Amino acid sequence: MQMTAALSRGPESPFTLETVQIDDPRPDEILVRIVATGLCHTDLFTKSLLPQTVGACLFGHEGAGIVEAVGSEITHIVPGHHVLLSVRSCGVCRQCIDGHRAYCERSHQLNSAGVRTDGSSPIHQNGAPIRAAYFGQSSFAQYAITTVDNTVVIDPAVNLAVVAPLGCGFQTGAGAVLNMLRPEPDSTFVVFGAGSVGFAAILAARTAGVTTIVAVDPVAERRKLAEEFGAVTIDPATDNIVDAVRAATDGGSAHSLDTTGIGAVINQGVASLRARGTLAVVGLGAREVPLNIADIMLNGKTVRGCIEGDSDVTTFIPRLVELFNAGSFPIDRLVTPYAFSDINQAVADQTSGKVIKPVLLW
């Protein structure tokens, strides 16, 4: 079947809308008509890493849509179901069996290889395969081939354009708080970087009843919105971040989250922890960061990595949808819609900080 897709043809080139062909679903696959897809920093980060010689790539991993067709082996998902798409996991490795599907031992093969597990691509152009199957979906297109493990059925009354980012960005921030850090109501929580992941973390901390929430971000508009959500804000351009965090949290944060991936910011996060505090890191950026090990050891501090909010998408995404429906997780205030034809403008606006979460609509 022919469809339109937003292809990447190199790390520096813009996305281009082009006609491609998508396979019919195999017995264990699902064909989803995409309604909306969130634009995530991970899409752009991965795009920047792949050399020009890789050829055309189809990204997109926060898809939301309606099931068009299912393979013969699929029983509990049927055409017409409204679904959110997320990260794949095998379900049978040690991590998956232990309930940590975000750390699936086959994650790279299932999500980042650019092909199905048998080496084929579900997307072609003029007979040539396109690097696709990104996060088991490649949803920067009108349709996507997905699988049971990354396709979550949701209430059809929910606005797909709002909840699409639950597939990754919003899930990552909220899950880091609710699944990993788990702050107590009388505890303190600090987020470094108030983008889509950071704001989802702020909203999650609110749902957990945390009364002291701090947001560190250089963009005035984002600080203003964080204050509307009940956070104390810090401007890194004018404030001494470590001192300001300690002042706002009565001596240091118990729970912190870095969304920036910037080494200097990560170190500020560690330094501003109280004794036995924890910093979770979710930002893609610096591969190596020097840390003050003496400070970490002598004060019992913890630095933890966190992928996809440490969540099982099949249970955590429905939980977040319920919180949104209940009015306690107002992610609609974070989303800005764009037509897919305006994808490059959405990239520019996200990069500049003009918007928090662009969502692309067909």
Side-chain angles (χ1 to χ4, degrees):
M1 178 176 66
Q2 283 194 340
M3 66 172 183
T4 301
L7 298 184
S8 167
R9 293 189 173 276
E12 303 299 330
S13 64
F15 289 96
T16 54
L17 293 185
E18 303 182 32
T19 299
V20 298
Q21 293 77 43
I22 185 169
D23 290 350
D24 292 331
R26 293 177 175 181
D28 62 343
E29 293 179 336
I30 302 163
L31 178 67
V32 177
R33 177 172 62 83
I34 300 298
V35 173
T37 307
L39 175 64
C40 183
H41 172 69
T42 305
D43 294 308
L44 305 181
F45 184 79
T46 306
K47 173 180 166 65
S48 73
L49 294 179
L50 295 177
Q52 196 84 30
T53 53
V54 167
C57 300
L58 181 54
F59 297 114
H61 65 285
E62 294 181 345
I66 301 170
V67 175
E68 192 85 358
V70 299
S72 59
E73 296 177 4
I74 308 296
T75 57
H76 69 285
I77 297 176
V78 300
H81 270 160
H82 287 221
V83 293
L84 296 185
L85 310 180
S86 191
V87 62
R88 289 205 64 190
S89 56
C90 73
V92 296
C93 70
R94 289 171 296 182
Q95 295 296 336
C96 288
I97 291 172
D98 287 345
H100 300 289
R101 296 178 77 105
Y103 306 97
C104 173
E105 294 171 6
R106 295 179 62 196
S107 181
H108 175 75
Q109 179 188 25
L110 294 173
N111 296 291
S112 306
V115 293
R116 293 180 172 113
T117 54
D118 67 357
S120 67
S121 172
I123 312 294
H124 306 267
Q125 188 178 57
N126 302 321
I130 299 292
R131 186 181 178 93
Y134 186 57
F135 278 57
Q137 55 182 282
S138 283
S139 53
F140 281 173
Q142 290 177 307
Y143 292 87
I145 292 289
T146 72
T147 51
V148 168
D149 55 281
N150 72 323
T151 305
V152 182
V153 177
I154 65 166
D155 181 354
V158 177
N159 186 345
L160 293 174
V162 172
V163 298
L166 292 178
C168 182
F170 289 167
Q171 173 182 221
T172 295
V177 173
L178 299 177
N179 297 330
M180 178 176 283
L181 293 173
R182 300 185 180 185
E184 304 82 7
D186 62 349
S187 186
T188 53
F189 171 71
V190 179
V191 63
F192 294 85
S196 60
V197 174
F199 268 109
I202 290 170
L203 296 181
R206 285 205 325 172
T207 69
V210 178
T211 55
T212 302
I213 300 171
V214 180
V216 182
D217 195 272
V219 180
E221 291 80 3
R222 294 187 177 189
R223 294 197 303 274
K224 180 180 177 182
L225 181 58
E227 289 169 0
E228 292 177 15
F229 289 143
V232 175
T233 60
I234 295 172
D235 181 357
T238 60
D239 297 316
N240 181 304
I241 295 177
V242 174
D243 289 346
V245 169
R246 288 174 177 168
T249 57
D250 191 26
S253 173
H255 307 278
S256 293
L257 176 67
D258 175 73
T259 71
T260 71
I262 299 171
V265 178
I266 292 171
N267 273 284
Q268 290 164 347
V270 173
S272 59
L273 288 173
R274 68 181 56 181
R276 300 179 62 246
T278 299
L279 172 71
V281 292
V282 298
L284 286 170
R287 296 185 66 87
E288 297 182 4
V289 176
L291 296 174
N292 186 337
I293 298 301
D295 177 32
I296 294 172
M297 182 193 73
L298 295 175
N299 291 289
K301 297 179 180 181
T302 301
V303 179
R304 291 193 59 177
C306 182
I307 295 293
E308 294 297 334
D310 201 17
S311 65
D312 179 338
V313 302
T314 61
T315 56
F316 190 58
I317 287 179
R319 179 183 174 190
L320 295 179
V321 172
E322 289 179 3
L323 290 172
F324 169 66
N325 282 338
S328 56
F329 193 58
I331 51 176
D332 53 313
R333 296 190 61 188
L334 310 178
V335 167
T336 302
Y338 290 80
F340 250 97
S341 57
D342 294 327
I343 183 171
N344 292 308
Q345 186 61 55
V347 170
D349 289 349
Q350 182 190 58
T351 302
S352 70
K354 181 179 178 180
V355 300
I356 296 169
K357 188 63 178 185
V359 173
L360 303 163
L361 307 178
W362 288 108

